[in-house]
Amino acid sequence: MLNQPLHAIKKSSLGPVVAQSSQFISPLIDDAFAHWQDHKGREPLPRLGHLVSKSPPGFWPYTIVLDVADNDYCARYVGAKSAQTYGDLRDRYLSELPSPLKERVADLLDTCAGKRAPIYAFWPRSAVRGQPFVGVEVLCLPWSKSGDSLEHMTLVNVNTYGNTLT
């Protein structure tokens, strides 16, 4: 049994908020948060090249890598688990997604871009029509090419079906 935070037990929405490790339900989200912190070092933002250094991290199938574009975000990589949920979003812009998914993700990405910090959210129901998810846990992480400017973000998205994480 996972040690679940209060928002998961109560099945209440949380976020987007600045991420704190004590909030996470999934160990995959914990791993992604630790990975980002490990590679940040003294720079304002970690470099995107550190996202996958030697071999892909365990959270990689749950990851969507986005380019930060003019007032929009473009998906450049969609992991297998994320593609199962959202379809193939490669080369699609956030502005092209259907509502309410677009608004929910825009709020998360805009908060991450504005704060230039890891941002966490949990929703007890998916915003994707037809998906039987009980919960959606997501961590948005900002990345840089140079270590200073924000050019990329990753979404690590883990879904819960009942008590099972997938």
Side-chain angles (χ1 to χ4, degrees):
M1 178 77 179
L2 295 172
N3 184 14
Q4 299 207 349
L6 189 57
H7 63 273
I9 294 167
K10 289 185 172 185
K11 297 187 187 295
S12 58
S13 295
L14 175 67
V17 297
V18 174
Q20 298 175 14
S21 61
S22 62
Q23 301 170 306
F24 308 143
I25 302 164
S26 170
L28 293 166
I29 299 289
D30 277 320
D31 291 349
F33 185 69
H35 184 84
W36 186 88
Q37 287 184 313
D38 288 347
H39 291 291
K40 183 177 177 291
R42 293 181 155 179
E43 296 180 313
L45 296 172
R47 295 173 191 255
L48 187 65
H50 294 295
L51 180 58
V52 179
S53 43
K54 295 179 183 172
S55 62
F59 59 85
W60 191 242
Y62 300 85
T63 301
I64 300 172
V65 179
L66 301 122
D67 290 344
V68 177
D70 295 326
N71 297 320
D72 209 347
Y73 308 92
C74 184
R76 293 300 179 199
Y77 169 83
V78 180
K81 290 288 189 178
S82 292
Q84 286 175 356
T85 303
Y86 301 106
D88 186 3
L89 299 174
R90 282 177 298 167
D91 299 324
R92 290 195 55 200
Y93 285 86
L94 177 65
S95 58
E96 300 171 4
L97 297 181
S99 295
L101 180 62
K102 175 175 40 178
E103 288 79 15
R104 186 180 279 183
V105 175
D107 190 25
L108 184 71
L109 293 171
D110 289 346
T111 302
C112 186
K115 296 199 179 283
R116 295 170 52 105
I119 300 296
Y120 175 80
F122 172 79
W123 299 285
R125 295 275 177 232
S126 173
V128 179
R129 291 190 179 113
Q131 297 290 347
F133 304 136
V134 175
V136 179
E137 184 178 35
V138 64
L139 181 65
C140 184
L141 299 166
W143 298 87
S144 177
K145 287 181 184 174
S146 65
D148 187 39
S149 58
L150 175 65
E151 289 103 7
H152 307 281
M153 286 191 243
T154 55
L155 294 175
V156 181
N157 187 85
V158 179
N159 306 304
T160 58
Y161 297 85
N163 291 326
T164 307
L165 294 170
T166 59

